[in-house]
Amino acid sequence: MDVKVKTDDLSAKETAFNDSIKDGKVIEPKDWMPEKYRKQLLRMMSQHAHSEVVGMLPEGNWITRAPSLARKAILIAKVQDEAGHGLYIYSAAETLGMDRSEMVDQLLSGKAKYSSIFNYPTLTWADIGAIGWLVDGAAIVNQTVLAKCSYGPYSRAMLRICREENFHNKQGYQILAFLMRGTKEQKEMAQDAMNRWWWPSLMMFGPSDKDSPNSADLLKWKVKLYTNDDLRQRFIDRTVEQAEAIGLKVPDDKLKWNEETRHYDFGEINWEEFFQVINGNGPCNKLRLKQRNDAHSNGQWVREAAKAYAEKRKAN
Amino acid sequence: MNSNHQWPTWEVFTQKKQGAAHEHAGSVHAPDAEMALLNARDVYGRRQEGVNIWVVPTTAIIASTPEDVGAFFDPANDKMYRSPNFFKTADGLKTI
């Protein structure tokens, strides 16, 4: 085969692909796509799915100790949603040609990444409020935009997730609002959770775009529609007011409304900490991986039993 | 690491309300049809999203290919007279 013709053909295909994305076309699984588009999406989507799954662990930690039956029921429903979100995204990611078991293996072996936020511990009940309000709040800002991304299955999964995240966000905020109307100790507990979760929540949007190696391609292909810094700013702008409304202080001395830019100015993020946590040195990285591996092996007999049952029924 | 039994995938279609068409929701892994229905309910129906669910083995779905979109749908492209907007008639009539 003439190699030159082949490469020309490929670049023509890629140009047509880029143009169709510029025109707002949504890409579906069977459409032709550049290998790099497929790979980047698969990387992003599997990381996203893993984050939903690992995200169950810090919250699951409080199910047995929720302060009332109602809180316990709500938290169980929320954690079940996170499992569901993981499954939606794994299902969407599988349309790109990788089997779910392969993605799960990458998570369990520690090869795949997930959101660094879940490597922080949940020390008090107020942390459950902070996770719902701040962590899910940051996720909503991210996911609302991803719902308009160029890959159809991902965008549809995000639409579904966004509807459910609003419940997560509100129940978390309400936990903190409730504590802030309580005793001095309860108020201190809420503020302490705010102090510990604020900065890691800002880090969830990823490094500044000048340090984010994949940003340019992802923006060109409308996998991302805004930069990490834009989305971080959007989150801060909408969250500060919510904090003030219930009397929580944002732990940032440099936080100040800027009349000129119509945005909040804020202090420097500790990126050293971010990269430490991403690279496995956060407070709970080892614990999370162990908990995931234990859950997977403890479920082994269920998978085997279901398979044996299905085979037996097929034989009869 | 222990071995994974990778169950086959099933495509899930949910019907929002009685009388509506079933719509694709996503997929689930399951060892058999019964488990596929239960998994589909847990994954795609936690908020009363539907009154009925279909699950179909993914391998049973035959789809047209995007590359052939032109030729495949060609029979419809040059018959604009199938649309009522094709016909210019008298102005000012309310019933046609």
Side-chain angles (χ1 to χ4, degrees):
Chain A
M1 187 182 284
D2 188 332
V3 174
K4 188 174 174 297
V5 170
K6 217 180 151 192
T7 47
D8 280 354
D9 189 42
L10 183 73
S11 64
K13 267 186 172 171
E14 197 161 333
T15 312
F17 178 86
N18 292 344
D19 288 347
S20 71
I21 288 208
K22 223 180 278 167
D23 293 343
K25 192 190 159 196
V26 174
I27 306 301
E28 291 297 337
K30 290 181 90 181
D31 289 337
W32 184 88
M33 60 187 85
E35 190 49 25
K36 208 171 161 202
Y37 176 85
R38 197 185 70 83
K39 276 204 173 132
Q40 289 280 12
L41 262 176
L42 202 50
R43 181 188 60 85
M44 252 179 88
M45 291 169 75
S46 57
Q47 277 182 18
H48 193 163
H50 298 330
S51 303
E52 303 283 354
V53 170
V54 177
M56 289 190 280
L57 296 170
E59 291 182 297
N61 181 35
W62 277 90
I63 288 177
T64 56
R65 291 172 287 160
S68 71
L69 188 58
R71 294 280 188 214
K72 190 195 289 257
I74 292 168
L75 184 56
I76 289 173
K78 196 223 177 229
V79 172
Q80 190 195 13
D81 274 353
E82 304 300 355
H85 295 180
L87 290 172
Y88 303 158
I89 309 173
Y90 282 131
S91 152
E94 283 191 305
T95 64
L96 290 164
M98 187 187 273
D99 207 80
R100 188 178 74 190
S101 62
E102 205 177 321
M103 293 183 247
V104 170
D105 278 348
Q106 288 178 351
L107 172 66
L108 295 179
S109 70
K111 189 181 160 221
K113 291 207 165 29
Y114 54 85
S115 184
S116 62
I117 193 95
F118 300 118
N119 291 315
Y120 291 86
T122 40
L123 303 177
T124 70
W125 170 250
D127 288 13
I128 300 306
I131 289 184
W133 173 45
L134 296 174
V135 177
D136 289 274
I140 288 172
V141 169
N142 240 329
Q143 290 168 346
T144 311
V145 176
L146 281 172
K148 295 177 198 134
C149 79
S150 64
Y151 190 56
Y154 198 19
S155 128
R156 291 190 285 274
M158 286 305 112
L159 280 177
R160 197 175 278 277
I161 287 179
C162 284
R163 280 199 292 271
E164 303 183 356
E165 291 282 8
N166 285 328
F167 145 55
H168 301 176
N169 186 231
K170 271 201 166 166
Q171 64 87 34
Y173 187 59
Q174 199 233 14
I175 288 174
L176 291 179
F178 196 76
L179 289 173
M180 290 304 286
R181 291 198 299 269
T183 62
K184 182 168 164 285
E185 285 79 8
Q186 285 172 319
K187 285 180 191 166
E188 280 169 7
M189 185 166 82
Q191 183 62 53
D192 171 60
M194 174 80 181
N195 294 350
R196 283 181 292 109
W197 289 93
W198 174 256
W199 290 103
S201 298
L202 299 191
M203 294 175 198
M204 280 175 71
F205 295 93
S208 185
D209 297 292
K210 54 184 194 303
D211 305 316
S212 179
N214 301 317
S215 270
D217 272 342
L218 295 176
L219 286 165
K220 176 181 77 184
W221 284 326
K222 295 192 185 165
V223 174
K224 286 170 77 164
L225 296 168
Y226 298 93
T227 65
N228 296 349
D229 290 328
D230 284 343
L231 295 175
R232 187 169 11 250
Q233 185 71 56
R234 192 179 291 190
F235 171 70
I236 293 170
D237 289 347
R238 58 182 251 164
T239 309
V240 171
E241 188 190 25
Q242 297 167 6
E244 286 168 352
I246 55 173
L248 281 171
K249 191 181 171 307
V250 178
D252 179 356
D253 295 338
K254 295 202 174 109
L255 187 87
K256 202 173 165 245
W257 176 253
N258 185 327
E259 197 55 51
E260 217 166 282
T261 59
R262 311 287 301 163
H263 292 295
Y264 280 96
D265 293 336
F266 57 97
E268 189 63 31
I269 291 171
N270 183 352
W271 290 114
E272 172 58 23
E273 176 184 325
F274 172 78
F275 287 111
Q276 281 292 333
V277 178
I278 280 273
N279 292 323
N281 303 319
C284 299
N285 295 55
K286 290 193 182 68
L287 177 66
R288 298 295 180 236
L289 215 54
K290 182 182 180 308
Q291 287 170 317
R292 251 345 290 162
N293 273 290
D294 288 350
H296 191 74
S297 29
N298 291 340
Q300 178 81 359
W301 71 272
V302 180
R303 293 191 293 278
E304 275 167 13
K307 187 167 174 260
Y309 182 66
E311 276 162 7
K312 187 177 141 199
R313 294 234 304 187
K314 210 188 269 174
N316 289 340
Chain B
M1 198 171 309
N2 48 50
S3 70
N4 282 302
H5 294 300
Q6 187 61 62
W7 296 333
T9 55
W10 304 69
E11 297 303 317
V12 179
F13 298 82
T14 54
Q15 186 187 29
K16 280 207 181 76
K17 54 179 187 204
Q18 210 91 45
H22 283 67
E23 207 177 286
H24 186 242
S27 64
V28 292
H29 286 263
D32 59 22
E34 198 185 337
M35 283 280 291
L37 265 182
L38 291 178
N39 286 349
R41 178 202 59 191
D42 290 347
V43 177
Y44 297 103
R46 287 190 305 283
R47 285 177 173 72
Q48 298 158 323
E49 283 98 336
V51 292
N52 192 266
I53 296 178
W54 292 346
V55 288
V56 182
T58 301
T59 49
I61 292 187
I62 317 295
S64 62
T65 50
E67 286 81 17
D68 300 337
V69 64
F72 190 73
F73 290 104
D74 177 62
N77 292 344
D78 57 355
K79 297 181 184 63
M80 288 315 292
Y81 45 81
R82 284 200 168 116
S83 154
N85 298 334
F86 175 81
F87 300 94
K88 300 266 174 293
T89 53
D91 289 338
L93 293 176
K94 286 197 179 101
T95 52
I96 188 161

